[in-house]
Amino acid sequence: MKKKTVLLFIILILLLLVSSFLGLWFGSVDIPAGEALGVMTGRIREGTAYILIVSVRLPRVLGCIGAGVGLATAGVILQNVMNNSLASPNTIGVNSGAGFAVMLSMVLLPDAISVRPVFAFAGALITSLLIFALALGSGSSRTTVILAGITVSAFLSAAMNLIKILDDDIALNINTFLVGSVAGISMRDVRLPLVIIITVFLLTILFSGHLNVLSLGDDIAGSLGMNVNATRFLLLTLSSLLAGAVISYAGLLSFVGLIVPHICRRLFGNDSRILVPASGLAGASYCLLCDLLGRLIAAPYELPAGIIMSFIGGPFFLFLLLRKRGGRRIAA
């Protein structure tokens, strides 16, 4: 591994540590830095600062880390599997599929919080397969993938709005979910999703060599002995697990899977063996910083992290579209 790559990884790790500390320290209630550090190092095990950090801010920080790792890794997978550098859980409608499934679980099983990751995974996987099938049936062009995603996403958004209209109880509590936020989550909310995210993230690192081969195109991958369809389905399943696990507790966070992989490609190159762990680290820090900015920018009130991400992601997506220059390929 090159010295530059090692140095960049060290910077990402330090950025994650600093972002995590800031996430535990700052909030609507001021905590002296010494007390915050004491709680984090285990020297302080009682008092207001301890309760606030351990019960409120720690689940929030872990939720941000899980969301960043999950969505950024899902973005890398989708961009390679669909051979489209504009693909991400948000832009191709995977988020909407998982979100609709979670809302459906709220209607059918309102008290069964533990089943939401299952519904979210199923919604994300079905949407991924549907969009890939639509694109494949139309020649699998890069533009078609995005247009298919926009179409499916619009349909699912209409279905979610219909559920809001028909169910008053969901309508009162669903707005934060639709925007995307980690505010108010508990360890109970994130325990199972984090296990899924960590497990699938490690599996994705193991299969990162397959991502490299698949990005060369179906013909070359097949000539190298890869079962292209089986590998693609496996990787789509992994990306759906990641996106579904995040959405089950954090809602429809936007553009993480688009912005972070693009930045990491610029810094680390296209080798997925390096790109996947780098994107995971960078995604975690990105979500932490967006959530922290949402806490501080309108203090003592809070803006959901999803709003900050949309303000950043919208112009970024437009910039990438303009770089296509009439549809020419962007290096994936």
Side-chain angles (χ1 to χ4, degrees):
M1 190 179 291
K2 297 179 181 179
K3 290 183 179 180
K4 176 187 174 183
T5 302
V6 173
L7 178 60
L8 287 172
F9 265 107
I10 292 173
I11 292 173
L12 285 180
I13 292 171
L14 291 175
L15 179 61
L16 178 57
L17 292 175
V18 172
S19 302
S20 300
F21 174 75
L22 293 176
L24 293 171
W25 180 16
F26 287 109
S28 57
V29 178
D30 291 331
I31 297 177
E35 287 188 37
L37 191 59
V39 173
M40 293 176 213
T41 56
R43 290 188 295 104
I44 298 176
R45 296 180 178 273
E46 58 183 13
T48 303
Y50 176 81
I51 295 173
L52 190 60
I53 289 176
V54 173
S55 301
V56 178
R57 295 183 186 173
L58 180 59
R60 187 166 183 165
V61 166
L62 291 176
C64 283
I65 292 173
V69 171
L71 294 176
T73 305
V76 174
I77 294 173
L78 290 172
Q79 287 168 14
N80 281 273
V81 167
M82 297 191 171
N83 194 26
N84 190 321
S85 58
L86 296 179
S88 74
N90 174 251
T91 57
I92 69 168
V94 175
N95 275 12
S96 296
F100 171 72
V102 170
M103 288 187 69
L104 198 61
S105 74
M106 293 177 182
V107 175
L108 301 176
L109 302 166
D111 298 322
I113 297 176
S114 60
V115 305
R116 290 180 187 175
V118 178
F119 273 78
F121 160 67
L125 180 59
I126 292 171
T127 306
S128 298
L129 293 174
L130 175 61
I131 291 166
F132 183 75
L134 289 172
L136 194 63
S138 303
S140 195
S141 73
R142 300 163 66 82
T143 304
T144 304
V145 173
I146 300 302
L147 292 177
I150 291 172
T151 302
V152 173
S153 183
F155 175 79
L156 292 170
S157 295
M160 286 189 280
N161 286 327
L162 179 62
I163 292 176
K164 285 175 60 179
I165 292 172
L166 296 177
D167 195 314
D168 292 336
D169 292 334
I170 288 181
L172 292 173
N173 301 298
I174 202 64
N175 287 332
T176 300
F177 173 84
L178 294 177
V179 172
S181 174
V182 290
I185 63 173
S186 65
M187 288 302 299
R188 178 190 175 195
D189 298 323
V190 300
R191 190 176 292 116
L192 177 59
L194 283 178
V195 171
I196 295 172
I197 291 167
I198 293 170
T199 302
V200 177
F201 175 64
L202 294 176
L203 284 173
T204 305
I205 292 176
L206 290 177
F207 282 98
S208 56
H210 293 72
L211 284 172
N212 284 337
V213 175
L214 200 58
S215 66
L216 298 175
D218 290 1
D219 293 337
I220 296 178
S223 68
L224 293 173
M226 174 180 286
N227 187 329
V228 175
N229 291 330
T231 303
R232 179 177 282 117
F233 178 77
L234 172 63
L235 291 169
L236 283 175
T237 301
L238 293 180
S239 70
S240 299
L241 278 168
L242 290 167
V246 173
I247 290 166
S248 68
Y249 70 87
L252 305 183
L253 295 173
S254 303
F255 294 111
V256 181
L258 178 69
I259 293 175
V260 174
H262 269 279
I263 293 174
C264 287
R265 285 183 197 278
R266 288 283 185 178
L267 295 174
F268 293 92
N270 296 321
D271 187 348
S272 294
R273 293 171 297 179
I274 296 174
L275 185 62
V276 170
S279 295
L281 288 171
S285 297
Y286 176 72
C287 285
L288 282 166
L289 292 173
C290 284
D291 182 56
L292 184 63
L293 184 59
R295 290 192 233 175
L296 299 179
I297 198 170
Y301 305 102
E302 291 189 7
L303 292 177
I307 291 179
I308 305 298
M309 293 175 184
S310 294
F311 273 121
I312 298 172
F316 189 88
F317 184 55
L318 180 61
F319 168 73
L320 292 178
L321 285 175
L322 293 176
R323 282 190 61 207
K324 291 185 73 174
R325 296 179 183 175
R328 268 193 270 173
R329 177 175 179 148
I330 303 173

